Amino acid sequence: MKRRYSSAFTSIGLSPIVAISEQIRSVAPVFEKSGQRFAFLQRGELADPTPDFVIDATKRALDAGHTRYPKAGGEPWFKEAVIQHMAAEHGIDDIGPENVICTYGGQEGLQLVFGLLGGGTVLAFGPAWSCVLENIFPFTGFEVDTIDLVEEQGALRVDFDELDRKLAAADVLYLNTPQNPSGKVFSREELVRIDELCRQHDVRIVSDEAYKDFVYDGREHVSPLSLGGDHIISIFTCSKAFAATGFRIGFTICRDADLIRKLTLGEYTQTAGVVPFIQRAFADVLTMDEPRRTWQSELVASLARRRDRICERLGPLFGGSLYRPEGAFYLFLNLTGLVPDAPAGEDTSDVIVQRFLDQGIAVVPGTAFGDDRYARHVRLSFSGVSDEVLEEALERMIDGVFNGQARATG
Amino acid sequence: MKRRYSSAFTSIGLSPIVAISEQIRSVAPVFEKSGQRFAFLQRGELADPTPDFVIDATKRALDAGHTRYPKAGGEPWFKEAVIQHMAAEHGIDDIGPENVICTYGGQEGLQLVFGLLGGGTVLAFGPAWSCVLENIFPFTGFEVDTIDLVEEQGALRVDFDELDRKLAAADVLYLNTPQNPSGKVFSREELVRIDELCRQHDVRIVSDEAYKDFVYDGREHVSPLSLGGDHIISIFTCSKAFAATGFRIGFTICRDADLIRKLTLGEYTQTAGVVPFIQRAFADVLTMDEPRRTWQSELVASLARRRDRICERLGPLFGGSLYRPEGAFYLFLNLTGLVPDAPAGEDTSDVIVQRFLDQGIAVVPGTAFGDDRYARHVRLSFSGVSDEVLEEALERMIDGVFNGQARATG
């Protein structure tokens, strides 16, 4: 048999987040036999059930007969809802239906956009979401270069000189705000400077805004779209903000209508379009006032509370150097000096993750977000856990994982 | 801006079927002002509403909370339902969950499979479905070669000598049974001979079985999977058989578990998997006894009745040479001698399609199914129309399109 396979498919691996989730399906029940509750802190989705207003909107759309072939690229009324939503929520009022495409979550948006841009070098701020590094970039033929965010006085900063140098050799900048896994929210000032450099170097910005609704302490999510220009492609998902990861719907916006038209042809070819009754449901949800607003503000408040509790409990161990996430729902912890060295011949990252698993806590290894330089990091999510389970997990973490040991302050 | 685009995206066009469907959105209302009903005979979907047992199963799945991230490649219980369905309906009882992947309709199945096989030459029986010719093959880097079915005494036959020659230069055979647009159902004997030649030439078979549930006159759908071997990849959709084109769910089966694993990585990368509550609904539907069986047998009976009525009314015009579809829900009509020549400088195919539109009938131009050699053909669908509207359309077709003219018999 002619067993030739496309290198796009053979160069990708299963995301470490998916792999660890499958591993803990067997580990968690064993741990819970001890009478304690397993803490799923690896999860990138909310523990909350999908709200009734989403379920009901979907049932109404089924009853209304939105069950036939969708229109390629998205229904006109879905695009109209996106336009209204972006104007009302983010003050972006100059986009039309020709600038919008509906996709299967943010994931298909990323895959289509990088697929269309067709290879070259993508520059990404490190640490970066494992799925783009392990799946999207190799699948679409992109080489990746990273520029690490600089931790400085409790903030994560961009090194603009390094950015300038690295953009010279890049075709595309991948920007993720709020950022997974660090929790950084890029400020308008930072985005303006980044955008100026991208324009100088003739580099497109692919802006992944999956966590746009998760910003804390009164901050504002600034979409790079608000800076204007047709070189910015912003990718959104409805998965995260509505506890609706299984609905697989999102949208991508770009002022370059020709680019959107090309994405539409690709999207039609791949899937023939997004399930129309799900489009109808989210057209309603995106433009809904109540109960959406109350539900979302309570959700964000509860996440901020969990973040605060983690920082309160773990902060002293980190000697004041613990970064307090500004958005998203993750902490990316640097455990250098807090966990013992791995025995010779063993993988540091594996040993660290195992220490957490032994305490009934699942985390994602730092290596998932940018190879070995993050071998002593883990990503801890506060989205998929109740306050009570989180409290127990923090206790076990401090006593069992860190043995109450604090990092030496320097 | 670095405006490089992937050739995969720039080589595809919008399917002529989609294009004509968008064109008639404006034409149909104008025609209906005459008081007559427009006949949408271009459609590849049923006019019938999605049955209640599908809608209800989807609502149950929503209520049961199947609203979180799916498992990459499909939920275990969806795969189990596919296995049961294939055993009960088609006697294929040697596949396991490692041989099944859930996809967004048959379309994503085709795109993933050809994407994985990664270019080369695909051989297809002509006429062939426009979407593979115009979208899937160019998007996945395949050159296409075609081998036309031979019309002989009211049957469509395979020229096995030509197949033997053409397979020598092919990497993959695309087989579609029942076939869109011809309505041919490949017999077991034909499939055995085709498979023997493919094995000799070391060529994989990609078998598109979207219309497996639409076979007439007591015929049986034979899946090439039933011939055994791990070189056959069969692609199915739940869209057609359940009037559920908007649910975007299907499945692909291959005995080569490594191939399915590679497809799973690609599917995860593209979309993160198929909407789980739709998987749950179709796991129920695929293994349901009643009301599914009664609904489907009544549907097939009504389609056979419409097919019979078309053959009865149009048959005499074709002088006995009208091919009677054995499956699917299309007729592919050769109008040579039945419509006047196009005026000089005009496109024959466009002129023919316009003659139908002038009579309030939408059809798909034959060129969509294999370029200019089908310029005098049209595809006529009997799926998206009521008996009454069909009857009126046949009347207008005979009087207005063909002017009562019969083809000279030779």
Side-chain angles (χ1 to χ4, degrees):
Chain A
M1 207 53 45
K2 289 159 187 161
R3 303 261 167 193
R4 180 174 52 196
Y5 287 130
S6 152
S7 62
F9 282 73
T10 54
S11 62
I12 51 176
L14 202 60
S15 159
I17 302 178
V18 174
I20 197 156
S21 291
E22 297 190 358
Q23 185 188 342
I24 61 169
R25 282 186 201 212
S26 53
V27 172
V30 175
F31 178 82
E32 294 200 333
K33 280 187 187 151
S34 70
Q36 295 178 286
R37 287 179 288 188
F38 193 90
F40 297 90
L41 305 190
Q42 92 290 1
R43 278 185 180 153
E45 64 184 337
L46 299 166
D48 311 65
T50 307
D52 286 345
F53 62 85
V54 171
I55 304 288
D56 293 345
T58 310
K59 290 180 178 175
R60 278 199 308 275
L62 281 163
D63 288 334
H66 293 289
T67 60
R68 302 314 187 82
Y69 275 128
K71 193 166 153 58
E75 301 296 335
W77 33 258
F78 179 80
K79 296 184 181 190
E80 201 47 56
V82 166
I83 291 164
Q84 278 182 42
H85 177 85
M86 292 304 291
E89 304 281 323
H90 304 289
I92 294 165
D93 56 6
D94 66 337
I95 56 166
E98 70 281 10
N99 306 127
V100 180
I101 174 175
C102 181
T103 61
Y104 281 107
Q107 188 130 332
E108 201 199 21
L110 288 165
Q111 175 259 329
L112 283 169
V113 167
F114 283 103
L116 173 62
L117 299 183
T121 298
V122 54
L123 181 64
F125 290 104
W129 182 37
S130 61
C131 184
V132 293
L133 298 177
E134 308 269 349
N135 294 79
I136 305 283
F137 296 156
F139 192 62
T140 56
F142 272 90
E143 295 290 326
V144 64
D145 187 18
T146 49
I147 168 168
D148 285 351
L149 293 165
V150 183
E151 205 165 337
E152 204 180 272
Q153 297 171 329
L156 290 173
R157 305 200 182 282
V158 176
D159 181 336
F160 287 99
D161 292 333
E162 192 185 0
L163 181 63
D164 191 9
R165 279 194 301 277
K166 293 209 162 196
L167 282 173
D171 298 288
V172 185
L173 177 71
Y174 171 72
L175 182 76
N176 180 204
T177 182
Q179 205 210 30
N180 173 7
S182 72
K184 176 179 175 61
V185 173
F186 287 79
S187 69
R188 185 176 295 276
E189 189 197 18
E190 285 173 318
L191 291 172
V192 166
R193 288 185 67 185
I194 292 169
D195 186 47
E196 279 169 4
L197 290 172
C198 286
R199 287 172 190 256
Q200 282 169 27
H201 289 287
D202 211 23
V203 162
R204 285 184 200 271
I205 298 175
V206 177
S207 170
D208 178 352
E209 301 172 45
Y211 298 94
K212 79 176 178 69
D213 297 299
F214 300 93
V215 286
Y216 306 117
D217 313 320
R219 273 187 191 78
E220 178 200 11
H221 167 72
V222 181
S223 171
L225 280 178
S226 65
L227 307 179
D230 70 354
H231 63 297
I232 296 165
I233 307 164
S234 280
I235 292 165
F236 301 91
T237 179
C238 304
S239 290
K240 304 286 182 182
F242 301 106
T245 46
F247 287 70
R248 312 302 314 126
I249 185 165
F251 49 94
T252 289
I253 300 176
C254 180
R255 288 190 187 79
D256 180 347
D258 179 59
L259 182 141
I260 293 291
R261 202 183 60 79
K262 288 184 167 64
L263 293 178
T264 299
L265 293 175
E267 210 272 335
Y268 170 75
T269 302
Q270 289 188 179
T271 64
V274 172
V275 179
F277 58 83
I278 297 180
Q279 290 192 52
R280 184 63 261 172
F282 280 86
D284 293 351
V285 166
L286 286 171
T287 54
M288 182 184 282
D289 191 22
E290 291 299 339
R292 177 175 72 90
R293 283 181 199 284
T294 300
W295 188 86
Q296 285 194 316
S297 64
E298 286 175 2
L299 174 68
V300 171
S302 77
L303 287 165
R305 202 172 55 237
R306 276 180 236 156
R307 176 203 62 167
D308 291 346
R309 185 61 184 148
I310 296 171
C311 291
E312 189 183 334
R313 294 299 316 271
L314 299 188
L317 301 184
F318 285 79
S321 71
L322 185 65
Y323 176 74
R324 186 183 195 79
E326 301 165 332
F329 38 60
Y330 308 106
L331 284 101
F332 194 59
L333 302 178
N334 180 353
L335 303 183
T336 307
L338 283 170
V339 288
D341 285 340
E346 290 189 36
D347 184 89
T348 304
S349 178
D350 288 349
V351 169
I352 290 176
V353 168
Q354 190 60 49
R355 274 181 86 88
F356 281 88
L357 284 177
D358 291 345
Q359 296 297 329
I361 303 164
V363 294
V364 180
T367 49
F369 304 93
D371 67 49
D372 282 352
R373 70 191 190 283
Y374 295 122
R376 299 188 152 276
H377 283 70
V378 296
R379 187 189 79 173
L380 179 161
S381 166
F382 46 95
S383 65
V385 69
S386 69
D387 291 354
E388 297 70 33
V389 170
L390 177 63
E391 206 61 46
E392 294 166 16
L394 286 169
E395 199 64 38
R396 296 199 301 272
M397 214 182 288
I398 293 165
D399 293 345
V401 179
F402 304 134
N403 301 127
Q405 186 178 352
R407 183 189 289 174
T409 51
Chain B
M1 210 51 46
K2 289 159 187 162
R3 303 261 168 195
R4 181 173 53 196
Y5 287 130
S6 152
S7 61
F9 282 73
T10 54
S11 62
I12 50 175
L14 203 59
S15 160
I17 302 178
V18 175
I20 197 156
S21 293
E22 298 192 354
Q23 186 189 342
I24 62 170
R25 282 188 199 210
S26 52
V27 172
V30 176
F31 177 83
E32 294 200 332
K33 283 189 184 146
S34 70
Q36 294 177 286
R37 287 178 288 189
F38 193 90
F40 298 90
L41 305 191
Q42 92 291 0
R43 278 186 179 153
E45 63 184 337
L46 298 167
D48 311 64
T50 307
D52 286 344
F53 62 84
V54 172
I55 303 290
D56 293 344
T58 310
K59 290 180 179 174
R60 277 200 309 274
L62 281 163
D63 288 333
H66 293 290
T67 61
R68 302 315 188 81
Y69 275 128
K71 194 166 152 56
E75 302 296 335
W77 33 260
F78 179 79
K79 296 184 181 191
E80 201 46 56
V82 166
I83 292 165
Q84 278 182 43
H85 177 84
M86 292 305 290
E89 304 281 323
H90 305 290
I92 294 164
D93 56 6
D94 66 336
I95 57 167
E98 70 281 11
N99 306 127
V100 180
I101 174 175
C102 180
T103 61
Y104 281 107
Q107 188 131 331
E108 200 198 22
L110 287 165
Q111 175 259 327
L112 284 168
V113 167
F114 282 103
L116 173 63
L117 299 184
T121 297
V122 54
L123 182 64
F125 289 104
W129 182 37
S130 60
C131 185
V132 292
L133 298 177
E134 309 269 349
N135 294 78
I136 305 283
F137 296 155
F139 192 62
T140 56
F142 272 91
E143 296 289 326
V144 64
D145 187 18
T146 50
I147 169 168
D148 286 350
L149 293 165
V150 184
E151 205 165 336
E152 204 180 271
Q153 297 171 327
L156 290 173
R157 303 197 186 283
V158 176
D159 181 336
F160 286 99
D161 291 335
E162 192 186 0
L163 182 64
D164 191 9
R165 278 193 303 276
K166 293 208 162 195
L167 282 174
D171 298 288
V172 184
L173 177 71
Y174 171 72
L175 183 76
N176 179 206
T177 182
Q179 204 211 29
N180 173 7
S182 72
K184 176 180 174 61
V185 173
F186 287 79
S187 70
R188 184 175 297 276
E189 189 197 16
E190 285 173 319
L191 291 172
V192 166
R193 290 185 66 185
I194 292 168
D195 186 46
E196 278 170 5
L197 290 171
C198 287
R199 287 172 189 254
Q200 281 169 30
H201 289 287
D202 212 23
V203 163
R204 284 183 200 270
I205 298 175
V206 177
S207 171
D208 177 353
E209 302 172 45
Y211 298 94
K212 79 177 179 69
D213 296 299
F214 300 93
V215 286
Y216 305 118
D217 313 319
R219 270 185 196 79
E220 178 202 10
H221 167 70
V222 181
S223 171
L225 280 178
S226 64
L227 307 179
D230 69 355
H231 62 298
I232 296 166
I233 307 163
S234 281
I235 292 164
F236 302 91
T237 178
C238 304
S239 290
K240 305 285 182 181
F242 301 107
T245 46
F247 287 70
R248 312 301 315 124
I249 185 165
F251 49 93
T252 290
I253 301 175
C254 180
R255 289 191 186 78
D256 180 346
D258 179 59
L259 182 142
I260 293 291
R261 202 184 59 80
K262 288 183 166 65
L263 293 178
T264 299
L265 292 175
E267 209 273 336
Y268 171 76
T269 302
Q270 289 188 177
T271 63
V274 173
V275 178
F277 58 82
I278 297 180
Q279 290 192 53
R280 184 62 260 170
F282 280 86
D284 293 351
V285 166
L286 286 171
T287 53
M288 182 184 281
D289 191 22
E290 292 297 341
R292 177 175 72 92
R293 284 181 199 284
T294 300
W295 189 86
Q296 286 194 315
S297 63
E298 285 174 2
L299 173 68
V300 170
S302 77
L303 287 166
R305 203 171 55 235
R306 277 180 235 156
R307 176 203 61 169
D308 291 345
R309 185 61 185 150
I310 296 170
C311 292
E312 190 182 333
R313 293 299 315 273
L314 299 187
L317 302 183
F318 285 77
S321 71
L322 184 67
Y323 176 74
R324 186 184 195 79
E326 301 165 332
F329 37 59
Y330 308 107
L331 284 101
F332 195 59
L333 302 178
N334 179 353
L335 303 184
T336 308
L338 284 171
V339 288
D341 284 340
E346 290 188 36
D347 184 88
T348 304
S349 177
D350 288 350
V351 169
I352 290 175
V353 168
Q354 192 57 51
R355 274 181 86 88
F356 281 88
L357 284 177
D358 291 344
Q359 296 297 326
I361 302 164
V363 293
V364 180
T367 48
F369 304 93
D371 67 49
D372 282 351
R373 69 190 190 285
Y374 295 121
R376 299 189 152 276
H377 282 70
V378 296
R379 186 190 80 173
L380 180 161
S381 167
F382 47 95
S383 65
V385 69
S386 69
D387 291 354
E388 297 70 33
V389 169
L390 177 63
E391 205 62 46
E392 293 165 16
L394 287 169
E395 198 65 38
R396 296 199 301 272
M397 214 182 286
I398 292 166
D399 293 345
V401 179
F402 303 134
N403 301 126
Q405 187 179 350
R407 182 189 290 174
T409 50

